Amino acid sequence: MANPAIITVDDDPAVSRAVARDVRRRYGDRYRVVRADSGPAAMEALREIKLRGEQVAVMLADYRMPQMNGIQFLETAMDLFPTARRVLLTAYADTDAAIDAINIVDVDHYLLKPWNPPEEKLYPVMDGLLDAWLSTPASAEGDVRVVGHRWSAPSYKVRDFLARNLVPYRWVLADEPEGERLLSAAGLGPDAVPVVITPDGRSLATPAVGELAAHIGLSTTPASDFYDLVVVGAGPAGLGAAVYGASEGLRTVLIEQRATGGQAGQSSRIENYLGFPDGVSGAQLTERARRQALKFGAELITTCEAIGLAGGGSASRVLRVSDDSVIAAHTVVLATGVSYRKLSAPGLAELTGRGVFYGSAATEAPNCAGSEVYIVGGANSAGQAAVYFSRYARRVHMLIRGADLRQSMSQYLVEQIEAIDTIEVHPCTEVISGEGEDHLERLVLADASTGEKRTVRTSWLFVFIGAEPRTDWLSGVVQRDERGFVLTGADLLADGRRPVGWTLPRDPYHLESSMPGVFAAGDVRATSVKRVASAVGEGAMAVSLVHRYLEAQ
Ligand SMILES: Cc1cc2nc3c(=O)[nH]c(=O)nc-3n(C[C@H](O)[C@H](O)[C@H](O)COP(=O)(O)OP(=O)(O)OC[C@H]3O[C@@H](n4cnc5c(N)ncnc54)[C@H](O)[C@@H]3O)c2cc1C
């Protein structure tokens, strides 16, 4: 396997040579330095690297270039190598552009040219970026290949898991010559798919996500059996709690059943999060938060689902996790968010993962090219998905229960949708059934106001409805409202009386549940605001209450 690449792009030949020379001098033994003199030429080089299944660690691009400036290049390049670190090279006069770039493409650094001596001005920055890149799971993987069937729910599950954990992979169809060759080399037949082939040549047939996680460099078991704080769920609230907990010296472990980022990680563009006027993709926000939590010393455990919680005396709480082991801690933050409700229309359950998807399923977007795509839901998440899929699909149909999108969606998204000709909104419309042999082929829709039914041909249905908390495992342990959201603080006081079983001589703190020392933050909490910013804020606030709780112990 070739060394990972560092790509440098500058249209001035002398500068371009100098940049590549400085980079090669220090990193040439471990990284391959690829030099290009324009954005399009650099994109061409990146495509070749991608096709060869190789990695890119850092991209340095000059801001002022004809045809494609540095910001445009980095933005396009991110689609191919989302975890590569990004640096914009600017002259002093272009500082404003660099600041824009931070917002638009989330550059990691901008460097002013010239940078003599590189030992002071270039290498410390590059060292930091390479360390950051090396700590991403993606860097461990040169060329993960997934061999599977086009319409197979288990194959989709594997691809979705890799994509959400930002692990690049090559998708090979089992019935194509390359797929047949890989299966035969692995000594497996077509029934063994999905098969994941790791760069060291190991093949995993129909792997469970835990097994897969362990092979792609994600931690799946905690290093210790006792912590100050265990955070359950690595969405924005959990990541917020982990960053603040670890940075304030608490021994913190964050456990996540699936992939960091939660719902926010699925968002193609979050446009209302403070500090990102041009929006930020959920994947970028998640990746940054994940690195930040790790930098402060939080442990992050994936494919680990909390399945039970018990009080272990006044000083500890005990969490039981999916492999039946336990993690004990002084305190717990529940940040398990919500997940989409399933549509109950006949036929859809059998076709889930084979044309019917819950959430944005970004991995499928390129496969929707030229197709008719149906999206159910009228909230912001559905709106974002419609805008995103409209880049690929021939037409996107939004099926909403209400008469108008404005009843349920932010104004900025309604305006974006109205401006896209290929998105069609179908008010008062619901899905009656789904039909198809090995994948979704038809949907029967009904107009709720007239009762009129019609059948449409499509292979793609994405559902974004009725988010609900998955807190059954907390039944009888902490008090929840009738929909399963965790009650906290003043919501636990009925007519001023403290919750049953509460023994402390004080009321529960604002985010504290009915079990002292167990807090809830983000979407899972009853009466919370369902937003990224509020989830992050509650994660941070929960940690300050954890401190207050520990001090009083
Ligand atoms: C597609 C989409 C787009 C959105 N766009 C925006 C936007 O533009 N702006 C905005 O403000 N908000 C947006 N939202 C809403 C926002 O993402 C949520 O409000 C936010 O993610 C809530 O964060 P959270 O941490 O509370 O929960 P979640 O993000 O739901 O994360 C919870 C995590 O907990 C994990 N988990 C659940 N149960 C367990 C368990 N038992 N054990 C271990 N782990 C568990 C889950 O796997 C998940 O990763 C969007 C949501 C979606 C789906």
Side-chain angles (χ1 to χ4, degrees):
M1 173 79 56
N3 283 340
I6 296 175
I7 186 154
T8 70
V9 202
D10 200 310
D11 63 315
D12 177 329
V15 177
S16 174
R17 268 196 304 277
V19 174
R21 183 201 57 220
D22 284 350
V23 174
R24 197 171 284 123
R25 184 146 57 86
R26 172 125 165 174
Y27 305 102
D29 58 335
R30 286 159 293 150
Y31 294 89
R32 205 156 47 86
V33 180
V34 178
R35 182 159 73 88
D37 55 13
S38 71
M43 281 311 301
E44 196 50 46
L46 287 180
R47 275 187 212 103
E48 271 177 34
I49 294 174
K50 187 82 193 172
L51 284 177
R52 287 201 299 266
E54 292 163 13
Q55 289 285 292
V56 175
V58 178
M59 307 188 279
L60 300 107
D62 183 38
Y63 169 58
R64 274 186 194 274
M65 293 189 290
Q67 294 171 283
M68 193 183 215
N69 71 29
I71 300 179
Q72 290 163 334
F73 162 72
L74 290 172
E75 194 178 15
T76 318
M78 268 162 64
D79 287 341
L80 286 179
F81 292 99
T83 59
R85 303 286 114 209
R86 300 173 278 277
V87 181
L88 192 70
L89 310 178
T90 59
Y92 184 72
D94 293 325
T95 316
D96 283 352
I99 290 166
D100 277 353
I102 288 172
N103 292 323
I104 297 170
V105 295
D106 190 20
V107 290
D108 294 283
H109 242 283
Y110 70 90
L111 283 171
L112 290 182
K113 297 187 294 184
W115 53 45
N116 272 333
E119 282 71 15
E120 277 175 30
K121 303 213 170 125
L122 173 67
Y123 297 151
V125 171
M126 286 291 289
D127 287 349
L129 294 175
L130 288 169
D131 280 354
W133 181 75
L134 284 169
S135 72
T136 56
S139 68
E141 296 308 305
D143 185 13
V144 174
R145 281 157 296 173
V146 181
V147 186
H149 291 307
R150 175 83 188 77
W151 298 107
S152 144
S155 297
Y156 166 70
K157 197 171 165 194
V158 162
R159 291 190 296 133
D160 186 53
F161 179 78
L162 291 173
R164 286 200 193 184
N165 281 289
L166 301 178
V167 176
Y169 64 88
R170 202 142 54 84
W171 168 229
V172 186
L173 290 176
D175 50 9
E176 280 178 350
E178 171 71 353
E180 286 167 3
R181 271 196 296 275
L182 286 170
L183 287 177
S184 131
L188 295 166
D191 293 344
V193 299
V195 171
V196 178
I197 298 164
T198 59
D200 58 4
R202 226 177 303 187
S203 44
L204 312 170
T206 54
V209 284
E211 187 191 358
L212 189 54
H215 277 84
I216 54 172
L218 299 170
S219 299
T220 52
T221 46
S224 166
D225 52 11
F226 196 88
Y227 294 84
D228 295 320
L229 168 63
V230 51
V231 182
V232 187
L239 285 163
V243 165
Y244 285 91
S247 68
E248 291 166 15
L250 297 175
R251 286 168 300 160
T252 303
V253 64
L254 172 59
I255 68 166
E256 165 57 48
Q257 62 183 5
R258 227 167 149 206
T260 37
Q263 299 166 70
Q266 292 184 43
S267 170
S268 46
R269 201 136 202 99
I270 299 166
E271 305 218 33
N272 54 3
Y273 187 54
L274 188 75
F276 293 90
D278 296 295
V280 56
S281 78
Q284 278 179 53
L285 193 64
T286 300
E287 215 282 306
R288 295 191 143 229
R290 194 188 68 86
R291 272 198 285 139
Q292 206 170 5
L294 292 174
K295 180 186 94 175
F296 284 123
E299 246 183 78
L300 170 55
I301 311 297
T302 35
T303 64
C304 179
E305 180 183 1
I307 53 172
L309 171 66
S314 63
S316 73
R317 306 284 165 251
V318 180
L319 206 63
R320 196 152 53 82
V321 296
S322 34
D323 66 359
D324 243 355
S325 61
V326 295
I327 307 174
H330 288 305
T331 57
V332 175
V333 171
L334 302 168
T336 51
V338 293
S339 33
Y340 291 109
R341 223 179 45 227
K342 301 275 183 234
L343 270 184
S344 57
L348 298 185
E350 299 77 10
L351 295 167
T352 300
R354 297 189 286 130
V356 177
F357 301 90
Y358 289 86
S360 72
T363 44
E364 297 302 320
N367 297 329
C368 296
S371 308
E372 302 280 321
V373 167
Y374 285 75
I375 290 179
V376 181
N380 282 6
S381 49
Q384 279 179 19
V387 171
Y388 182 66
F389 280 99
S390 71
R391 289 200 225 150
Y392 299 88
R394 179 166 60 209
R395 198 154 199 83
V396 175
H397 302 266
M398 293 192 75
L399 312 179
I400 62 170
R401 250 195 335 204
D404 189 342
L405 271 187
R406 281 168 212 279
Q407 294 166 353
S408 50
M409 195 176 285
S410 298
Q411 178 65 20
Y412 78 90
L413 262 177
V414 174
E415 284 166 12
Q416 280 182 25
I417 287 169
E418 285 173 350
I420 300 173
D421 290 346
T422 52
I423 301 182
E424 197 174 325
V425 180
H426 302 265
C428 309
T429 303
E430 56 193 33
V431 177
I432 296 296
S433 64
E435 299 163 3
E437 287 302 314
D438 75 334
H439 68 278
L440 176 69
E441 292 169 52
R442 290 171 302 279
L443 286 174
V444 181
L445 310 178
D447 183 319
S449 48
T450 62
E452 192 186 322
K453 289 188 187 157
R454 65 195 168 100
T455 301
V456 293
R457 295 196 74 79
T458 182
S459 299
W460 305 103
L461 177 70
F462 298 91
V463 183
F464 295 81
I465 53 155
E468 55 188 10
R470 290 187 31 230
T471 53
D472 291 349
W473 61 284
L474 293 168
S475 165
V477 182
V478 297
Q479 285 190 18
R480 301 173 300 151
D481 69 9
E482 65 290 346
R483 295 170 60 204
F485 289 96
V486 176
L487 292 166
T488 56
D491 291 344
L492 286 164
L493 303 178
D495 301 326
R497 274 176 290 113
R498 292 174 184 153
V500 179
W502 183 266
T503 50
L504 299 181
R506 61 162 176 83
D507 289 350
Y509 296 138
H510 176 49
L511 301 179
E512 197 170 24
S513 73
S514 58
M515 182 185 277
V518 175
F519 299 82
D523 283 12
V524 73
R525 196 177 67 80
T527 68
S528 64
V529 178
K530 310 292 186 261
R531 287 280 183 271
V532 176
S534 47
V536 172
E538 289 195 3
M541 191 196 292
V543 170
S544 80
L545 298 172
V546 161
H547 283 299
R548 211 192 289 178
Y549 171 85
L550 290 174
E551 277 157 21
Q553 284 299 295

